[in-house]
Amino acid sequence: MIDAYSIPVTKIERSKLNDISLENIPFGRYFTDHMLEADYIDGEWKNVEIKPYQPLVLSPSLASLHYGQAIFEGIKAYRNEAGEAFIFRPYDNYQRFNVSARRMQMPEVPEDLFIEGMRQLINLDKSWIPNKENHSLYIRPFMFSSDEVIGVKASDTYKFMIILSPTGPYYAAPARIYVEETYTRAAPGGVGFAKVAGNYGASMMVTAEARSKGFDQVLWMDAAEHKYVQEIGTMNVFFILDDNKAITPGLESGTILAGITRDSAITILKEMGLTVEERPVNIDEVIEAYKAGKLKEVFGTGTAATISPIRELTYKDFVMSFDVEGWKTAPEMKRRLDSIREGKTTDNHGWMFKI
Ligand code: COI
């Protein structure tokens, strides 16, 4: 049994914060002074500690490097005007982390280790939380198998870690998205709903191909018919019709990630008076709506990406373009969400966890 309340802490001698500026930081390049590390050995979580951020020494036979038992989460911490630090919906990420763990035959991480460990780590590095619009401290909990054995089997040992990275916006500008019809991301019965490292690895070639044609990302389609919209890999996707209806792919097929920002967006859109439909979304329906002038906005939601407008959606040779400047819904929804996160509006949903 771990006792997260007495995690041993080794502090750095001099903060790296003295050497970097938190102005205009790119996503995921800088890491704070400390990290949390724990080992799963003999059926128990042990060796829990917070220590200076540093490289790991790994064996070449480390099982996760060969067979990919590796999962992660993305969470954000914010600071309000009074300087208090908050984490956005960490319990939801905690639940999803263990959903991913179960699917990958990995041990669950106890709440104390995940939440209290994260709280203590952020408390130690809270001066790294940027105090600027559209900036936050990105929290990356992850777990990987650590047996030094190359037989194909679930590992007996695992490492759980949390690292922190101050960050600005993920996409610098509204995105250009290519509707991908050849390659697929996930099929029913697979791991599309889990936050598994391999889902991202498998997307790299396809994304690189799309980038070479000037797109930022691809919109994945279903594996069977290549007709039903799935997700954008780093984001869930929403379509706004006629300013009063939002549609987004439902979670029933088990092929898309149950985004926490997706869930927050659904809640806020309903509060704004929109009807929200979570259901299969056929790309033909999207095109018809665009042609009829009913498709007003398309945007992605994600922890890293927050709310990202899509200015162009290309299906085969058909280009759907949007005048993002004139949008009403996504900007208002983002304003409401940011306002809760930055502590400017009362958090009626219990989303903000005080550190
Ligand atoms: C996130 O939004 O937190 C993600 O994990 C997506 C991407 C950065 C991998």
Side-chain angles (χ1 to χ4, degrees):
M1 193 52 200
I2 60 126
D3 179 1
Y5 297 92
S6 57
I7 298 175
V9 178
T10 310
K11 291 190 187 170
I12 40 101
E13 281 169 14
R14 181 180 180 277
S15 175
K16 291 180 289 187
L17 206 44
N18 294 312
D19 309 321
I20 70 161
S21 151
L22 296 185
E23 296 288 312
N24 305 319
I25 23 174
F27 179 82
R29 295 268 175 83
Y30 298 104
F31 299 94
T32 66
D33 290 321
H34 299 93
M35 64 186 195
L36 179 139
E37 194 174 332
D39 294 311
Y40 186 80
I41 302 171
D42 297 332
E44 274 185 75
W45 285 102
K46 39 182 97 159
N47 307 335
V48 184
E49 63 172 316
I50 290 175
K51 60 188 189 185
Y53 181 91
Q54 60 193 270
L56 301 171
V57 177
L58 300 174
S59 162
S61 61
L62 194 84
S64 53
L65 299 179
H66 300 266
Y67 307 123
Q69 268 185 301
I71 62 171
F72 69 95
E73 270 304 326
I75 310 174
K76 277 180 173 169
Y78 298 83
R79 218 166 352 156
N80 67 14
E81 277 165 0
E84 298 166 311
F86 291 84
I87 313 176
F88 185 71
R89 304 190 67 172
Y91 286 95
D92 295 275
N93 293 87
Y94 163 66
Q95 303 286 354
R96 192 174 67 181
F97 191 75
N98 281 338
V99 166
S100 303
R102 287 194 289 274
R103 178 61 181 83
M104 296 301 284
Q105 192 57 28
M106 299 166 90
E108 291 187 25
V109 170
E111 186 177 309
D112 254 10
L113 174 53
F114 193 97
I115 301 283
E116 181 57 21
M118 182 187 305
R119 195 193 67 74
Q120 291 189 23
L121 178 65
I122 297 175
N123 197 36
L124 191 61
D125 281 349
K126 64 172 177 281
S127 47
W128 285 81
I129 305 177
N131 214 346
K132 195 178 164 193
E133 210 186 342
N134 291 322
H135 285 60
S136 57
L137 185 68
Y138 185 79
I139 307 162
R140 173 53 63 87
F142 60 105
M143 173 169 37
F144 57 90
S145 57
S146 54
D147 278 6
E148 296 175 5
V149 177
I150 57 167
V152 183
K153 68 169 199 53
S155 190
D156 291 324
T157 62
Y158 295 84
K159 199 172 270 298
F160 171 70
M161 301 189 66
I162 306 178
I163 56 174
L164 309 173
S165 176
T167 185
Y170 192 83
Y171 292 107
R176 293 182 69 212
I177 303 290
Y178 181 71
V179 179
E180 177 56 54
E181 285 186 289
T182 308
Y183 302 104
T184 55
R185 176 183 173 275
V191 295
F193 65 90
K195 212 155 170 64
V196 170
N199 282 342
Y200 297 81
S203 75
M204 300 296 176
M205 184 197 82
V206 186
T207 310
E209 238 171 63
R211 288 227 168 97
S212 72
K213 295 179 197 148
F215 298 98
D216 297 296
Q217 269 287 349
V218 300
L219 172 58
W220 298 102
M221 306 300 282
D222 74 291
E225 297 177 62
H226 297 202
K227 272 283 168 203
Y228 290 93
V229 171
Q230 302 280 284
E231 62 166 71
I232 306 182
T234 52
M235 308 186 274
N236 293 113
V237 65
F238 285 75
F239 303 90
I240 304 294
L241 305 179
D242 288 332
D243 294 332
N244 61 7
K245 193 202 278 187
I247 55 174
T248 189
L251 304 176
E252 62 284 338
S253 63
T255 53
I256 65 168
L257 198 72
I260 316 294
T261 312
R262 171 188 181 278
D263 184 73
S264 310
I266 291 172
T267 303
I268 294 175
L269 288 169
K270 285 182 181 165
E271 286 171 357
M272 287 166 59
L274 277 84
T275 305
V276 182
E277 293 178 4
E278 295 177 70
R279 59 166 172 81
V281 178
N282 191 312
I283 190 70
D284 291 339
E285 174 186 355
V286 173
I287 291 166
E288 290 309 307
Y290 179 81
K291 285 183 177 163
K294 289 168 179 279
L295 180 58
K296 304 292 186 190
E297 304 179 21
V298 184
F299 58 85
T301 62
T303 298
T306 64
I307 310 300
S308 292
I310 291 165
R311 73 179 162 95
E312 219 176 87
L313 187 61
T314 300
Y315 178 65
K316 300 184 195 281
D317 291 331
F318 188 65
V319 182
M320 292 170 260
S321 13
F322 302 91
D323 174 20
V324 172
E325 291 302 310
W327 284 7
K328 290 195 226 139
T329 306
E332 172 60 12
M333 193 190 71
K334 181 173 183 309
R335 192 199 60 73
R336 292 186 185 208
L337 185 59
D338 286 347
S339 180
I340 297 171
R341 286 167 158 167
E342 289 159 13
K344 293 177 187 149
T345 311
T346 313
D347 167 27
N348 294 322
H349 307 288
W351 286 343
M352 304 307 287
F353 174 86
K354 190 162 188 288
I355 290 173

